[in-house]
RNA sequence: GCCCGGGUGGUGUAAUGGUUAGCACGGAAGUUUGUGGAACUUUAAGUUUGAGUUCGACUCUCAGCCCGGGUACCA
C-alpha cells in the first residue's frame, strides 16, 4: 500500500457535489422556474462562463478594502478573464454589444451558474445557480417592477411554497439616499450607513445592532469588532427613528426630502399596478432594503422565507434572501454608445433548494428503474428482449450488468438501488412463455411474486408503478 | 479577510501520555449457483500535516491545512 502516491478525493471548499434527492428536486425547481419565466414572456439567453475582466470588474463596489477579491480571475496569456460573478453584468455587456438587434424592450431570462470567490457556508456556495429575469429598455418602472414582483411570487408558488411561507420586501433606494442627503452625512460614511440600515432584519442585529454600527463599533457574538460609521447623535437618532417606520403614509408625512418623496411616489405607483394582479398580498414595503451599492438606483427587492432552516447538525441558520434584485439605470451605460436602463431579479436557486429540501412539500417523480435480473446467462438474449419492451413502453428499466452474480446478489443490489420491481425469469418461465415479477417494495415475508403470460408484461408492471 | 470552536476507517463514535487504536453502521466475499430487505463467518479500510516536548504522543505545545459557526463583503 503506497498510499503516499494516492490522491485524496475532495473538493475545494464552497463547492458541492449534488446527487440523489437533492439534485432531483433541483432539476424539478429549474424546470418550474424556467417554464414560468417563459410564461411571463421572457426570452432565453446564454452567455459564456468567462468574461473579460474589465467588463465585470469596473463597477465592483467602490470599497477600499477588497476591490476584485470576490471574482475568480485568470490570465489566458493575453487578457485577464474572470468567471462570471452574476448574470446582470454579462447581460449588460450583451445588450451593449447587440443593441441594434434587440427589441426596444428586451426581456430575457438566464439560468446559469455564477462563481464567487468568498467564504462559503450557510447555504452559500462559491458556485451556485441563479435564475435571472431582466427587463431592459425605456419602460414605465412601476409596470416593469410590478411584473417582476408578480413573477417572483408566482414562481415561488409554482415551486411549491405556500403563500405565507415567503415575503417579497420592496423599497426604493431614493428613500434612504434622500435621508442621507438631508442629514448631510459625509460621502465616506454613506456606504457604511447604508450597510448598517440594510442589516436591521438580520437575526441578532435589530435596532440595537444597527445603532452600534451607526455609532462607534459593534462587537459580535464571536468577539470580533466591526467599526461603525461614527455618526453624530443627531444623525444616528434620525436614522433610528426612520427605521421604526413601517408605513408608507407615515414616511411620506415625516420625511420631506425631495429625493425621498420621489422614491415614495415610485413605490406608490408600483403598488397601484400590483393591485391589478394577484400577488399584492405577498409584497411588503420595507424601507431598510438597500442592497448592493454599486449601481442600484431605484426600486429594490429582496425575498425572504418565513420559515426556519437548519444545517445538517440541526442548528438553525439564516440563509438570507432567496431572490433579490432591483433597478439599475447605469449598468449598461458603462459601455460605449448605449444608455439603456434596466431592472431585474435573480432567484438564488441553490438557496431556495436548500430551504425547500427541508420542508418535504414537493412531490418528486423519482421513478427508479425496473430491474431485469439475469438468472441464467444462457437466456441473455431473452432478457434484452424484455428490456426492449419495457423501454419502448417508457418504463424506466435496466438489466443487471454482471451475469455472474447469483440472484440473491442481484436482488440485494436492486433493493439498495430502490428498484420497485424485479423481473425474474429463468428456464421455467421461458419454457412456458411466462414472466415472473417480484414486488420489491412489498411487505417482508409475504409472497410478493406473480407469474403471468408474456404478453401481459407491460400491464402487470403498470399496476405497480 | 477577521474572531471563536473542532479534526480518529466511507459514516457515527471509544481510547486522554504507555501493548497490536476498540465498537457500530455501511462496503466486499462467503454460508446460500431460482429469490433481496434477517442471522452468522471472513475481510478491506482510520489517528489531517509538519515541527517541538517526552524514554514513549491520537492524547501536550506551536504552525499549516481542512471543516463548522459568527462577523465582514455580496451585482
Amino acid at each position: 500500500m503506497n498510499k503516499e502516491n494516492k490522491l485524496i478525493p475532495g473538493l475545494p471548499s464552497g463547492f458541492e457535489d449534488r446527487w440523489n434527492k437533492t439534485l432531483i428536486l433541483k432539476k424539478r425547481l429549474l424546470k418550474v422556474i424556467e417554464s414560468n419565466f417563459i410564461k411571463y414572456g421572457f426570452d432565453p439567453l446564454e452567455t459564456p462562463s468567462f468574461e473579460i475582466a474589465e467588463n465585470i470588474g469596473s463597477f465592483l463596489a467602490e470599497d477600499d478594502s477588497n476591490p476584485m477579491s470576490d471574482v475568480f480571475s485568470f490570465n489566458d496569456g493575453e487578457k485577464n478573464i474572470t468567471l462570471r460573478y452574476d448574470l446582470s453584468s454579462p447581460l449588460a455587456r450583451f445588450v451593449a454589444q447587440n443593441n441594434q438587434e434587440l427589441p426596444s424592450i428586451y426581456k430575457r431570462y438566464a439560468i446559469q451558474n455564477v462563481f464567487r470567490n468568498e467564504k462559503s457556508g450557510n447555504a452559500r456556495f462559491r458556485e451556485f445557480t441563479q435564475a435571472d429575469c431582466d427587463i431592459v429598455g425605456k419602460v414605465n418602472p412601476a409596470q416593469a417592477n410590478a411584473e417582476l414582483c408578480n413573477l417572483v411570487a408566482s414562481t415561488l408558488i409554482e415551486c411549491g411554497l405556500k403563500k405565507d411561507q415567503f415575503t417579497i420586501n420592496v423599497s426604493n433606494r431614493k428613500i434612504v439616499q434622500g435621508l442621507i442627503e438631508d442629514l448631510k452625512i459625509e460621502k465616506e460614511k454613506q456606504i457604511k450607513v447604508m450597510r448598517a440600515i440594510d442589516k436591521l432584519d438580520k437575526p441578532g442585529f435589530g435596532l440595537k445592532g444597527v445603532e452600534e454600527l451607526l455609532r462607534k463599533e459593534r462587537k459580535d457574538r464571536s468577539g470580533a469588532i466591526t467599526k461603525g460609521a461614527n455618526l453624530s447623535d443627531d444623525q444616528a437618532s434620525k436614522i433610528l427613528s426612520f427605521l421604526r417606520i413601517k408605513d408608507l403614509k407615515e414616511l411620506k408625512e415625516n420625511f420631506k426630502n425631495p429625493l425621498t418623496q420621489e422614491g415614495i411616489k415610485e413605490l406608490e405607483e408600483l403598488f397601484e399596478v400590483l393591485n391589478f394582479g394577484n400577488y399584492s398580498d405577498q409584497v411588503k414595503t420595507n424601507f431598510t432594503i438597500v442592497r448592493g451599492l454599486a449601481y442600484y438606483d431605484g426600486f429594490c427587492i429582496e425575498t425572504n422565507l418565513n420559515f426556519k432552516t437548519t444545517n445538517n447538525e440541526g442548528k438553525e441558520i439564516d440563509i438570507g434572501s432567496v431572490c433579490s434584485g432591483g433597478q439599475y439605470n447605469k449598468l449598461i451605460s458603462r459601455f460605449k454608445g448605449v444608455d439603456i436602463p434596466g431592472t431585474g431579479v435573480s432567484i438564488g436557486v441553490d438557496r431556495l433548494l436548500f430551504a425547500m429540501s427541508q420542508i418535504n412539500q414537493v412531490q418528486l417523480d423519482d421513478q427508479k428503474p425496473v430491474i431485469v435480473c439475469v438468472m441464467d446467462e444462457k437466456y441473455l438474449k431473452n432478457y434484452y428482449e424484455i428490456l426492449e419492451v419495457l423501454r419502448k413502453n417508457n418504463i424506466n428499466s435496466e438489466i443487471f450488468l454482471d451475469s455472474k452474480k447469483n440472484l440473491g446478489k442481484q436482488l440485494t443490489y436492486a433493493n439498495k438501488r430502490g428498484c420497485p420491481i424485479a423481473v425474474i425469469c429463468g428456464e421455467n418461465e421461458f419454457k412456458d412463455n411466462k414472466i415472473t415479477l417480484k414486488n420489491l417494495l412489498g411487505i417482508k415475508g409475504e409472497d410478493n411474486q406473480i407469474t403471468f403470460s408474456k404478453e401481459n408484461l407491460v400491464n402487470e408492471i403498470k399496476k405497480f408503478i
Side-chain angles (χ1 to χ4, degrees), chain A residues 403-462:
Chain A
S403 39
K404 297 277 187 290
K405 289 269 199 307
N406 65 32
L407 187 58
K409 283 278 179 286
Q410 300 191 26
L411 290 174
T412 304
Y413 161 84
N415 197 51
K416 175 149 195 194
R417 184 98 168 63
C419 294
I421 296 171
V423 176
I424 300 176
C425 298
E427 191 157 352
N428 302 338
E429 282 81 2
F430 291 126
K431 213 168 51 197
D432 305 339
N433 249 325
K434 300 238 155 148
I435 282 182
T436 296
L437 283 192
K438 188 180 186 84
N439 176 11
L440 295 175
L441 307 177
I443 294 159
K444 188 181 160 186
E446 278 183 15
D447 179 26
N448 292 306
Q449 265 175 239
I450 45 169
T451 300
F452 47 84
S453 86
K454 204 174 159 187
E455 311 82 68
N456 297 330
L457 175 62
V458 172
N459 288 335
E460 290 294 334
I461 283 186
K462 285 197 168 154

Side-chain angles (χ1 to χ4, degrees), chain A residues 324-374:
Chain A
S324 42
Q327 189 168 316
Y328 44 86
N329 290 328
K330 292 183 201 106
L331 182 61
I332 305 175
S333 62
R334 302 178 295 126
F335 292 99
K336 209 173 173 180
V338 281
D339 184 14
I340 312 171
T343 182
V345 284
S346 202
I347 298 177
V349 179
D350 291 294
R351 272 191 196 179
L352 182 63
L353 174 69
F354 184 86
M356 298 282 299
S357 66
Q358 302 196 350
I359 53 173
N360 282 334
Q361 246 168 235
V362 184
Q363 192 78 43
L364 291 177
D365 47 345
D366 176 21
Q367 185 58 66
K368 295 285 193 212
V370 169
I371 187 155
V372 178
C373 295
V374 179

Side-chain angles (χ1 to χ4, degrees), chain A residues 89-298:
Chain A
S89 48
L91 170 68
R93 192 222 83 227
F94 173 81
V95 169
Q97 204 174 331
N98 299 280
N99 187 22
Q100 307 288 325
E101 334 289 326
L102 299 174
S104 60
I105 296 171
Y106 177 50
K107 296 171 68 182
R108 86 90 179 80
Y109 75 86
I111 301 175
Q112 296 190 269
N113 284 1
V114 301
F115 303 85
R116 298 189 184 183
N117 190 7
E118 60 191 24
K119 186 182 177 290
S120 56
N122 276 15
R124 302 169 57 126
F125 308 102
R126 289 159 90 197
E127 174 183 14
F128 57 97
T129 310
Q130 285 196 334
D132 201 283
C133 269
D134 288 82
I135 302 172
V136 175
K138 297 219 159 61
V139 293
N140 171 358
Q143 263 182 279
N145 293 326
E147 188 76 348
L148 295 177
C149 292
N150 288 330
L151 176 65
V152 170
S154 68
T155 303
L156 292 180
I157 289 167
E158 292 277 326
C159 279
L161 284 178
K162 295 180 181 135
K163 281 192 162 189
D164 58 357
Q165 285 180 313
F166 65 93
T167 306
I168 298 174
N169 295 295
V170 296
S171 185
N172 194 303
R173 283 205 36 193
K174 291 176 184 171
I175 294 172
V176 170
Q177 268 164 353
L179 175 70
I180 285 176
E181 224 173 64
D182 249 10
L183 295 175
K184 301 198 168 53
I185 293 171
E186 301 91 308
K187 250 222 160 103
E188 319 81 71
K189 293 184 179 173
Q190 289 185 6
I191 290 176
K192 278 199 167 153
V193 172
M194 287 206 178
R195 287 175 184 168
I197 291 174
D198 203 41
K199 295 214 160 44
L200 180 67
D201 292 329
K202 256 197 107 171
F205 275 82
L207 280 173
K208 206 180 284 170
V210 175
E211 184 170 5
E212 284 165 3
L213 283 176
L214 290 174
R215 291 171 187 271
K216 208 168 146 212
E217 60 182 27
R218 174 173 185 272
K219 203 186 215 179
D220 66 55
R221 236 197 290 171
S222 71
I225 286 169
T226 312
K227 278 200 174 145
N230 264 315
L231 295 190
S232 70
D233 288 352
D234 184 51
Q235 288 171 324
S237 65
K238 282 246 170 65
I239 289 174
L240 289 170
S241 65
F242 163 79
L243 290 177
R244 288 195 186 90
I245 295 176
K246 300 275 174 240
D247 181 53
L248 203 58
K249 273 184 199 144
E250 193 183 342
L251 189 71
K252 198 173 178 181
E253 284 156 21
N254 289 297
F255 290 84
K256 294 293 186 192
N257 174 284
L259 194 56
T260 299
Q261 289 290 323
E262 194 182 315
I264 292 168
K265 191 168 162 250
E266 285 182 18
L267 273 184
E268 285 172 341
E269 288 165 358
L270 170 72
F271 274 93
E272 217 171 281
V273 181
L274 274 178
N275 282 326
F276 302 148
N278 293 322
Y279 303 106
S280 55
D281 291 346
Q282 267 59 59
V283 186
K284 300 262 181 315
T285 52
N286 184 335
F287 310 119
T288 70
I289 307 289
V290 184
R291 300 204 38 75
L293 293 146
Y295 60 67
Y296 283 135
D297 44 23

